[in-house]
């Protein structure tokens, strides 16, 4: 069973991710990935993130893990 993941998004990373989400030229796959990380950094649970983005649980977990290991 997977335990809840918790991480902090630095202000610099948050700015980069928010800029990516706001840019209309950003690829949509990058936008939803950034949203997953931003929502995770705000403390939302997996179910809420899934509902917000329309992505699966494994997808949310994958991008949380990737951010925790590699950052933006």
């Amino acid at each position: 069973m997977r335990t809840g993941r918790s991480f902090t998004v630095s202000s610099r990373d948050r700015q980069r991710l928010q800029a990516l989400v706001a840019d209309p030229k950003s690829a949509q796959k990058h936008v939803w990935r950034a949203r997953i990380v931003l929502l995770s950094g705000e403390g939302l649970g997996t179910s809420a993130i899934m509902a917000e983005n329309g992505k699966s649980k494994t997808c949310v977990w994958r991008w949380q893990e990737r951010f925790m290991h590699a950052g933006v």
Side-chain angles (χ1 to χ4, degrees), residues 46-65:
T46 303
S47 296
I49 296 169
M50 289 168 46
E52 181 76 25
N53 285 302
K55 301 297 177 188
S56 69
K57 185 182 300 186
T58 55
C59 179
V60 171
W61 289 349
R62 178 183 310 120
W63 292 105
Q64 288 172 335
E65 289 287 333

Side-chain angles (χ1 to χ4, degrees), residues 8-21:
T8 303
V9 179
S10 71
S11 60
R12 182 176 182 201
D13 285 345
R14 182 172 300 285
Q15 287 175 339
R16 289 178 63 193
L17 292 167
Q18 288 172 334
L20 189 123
V21 169

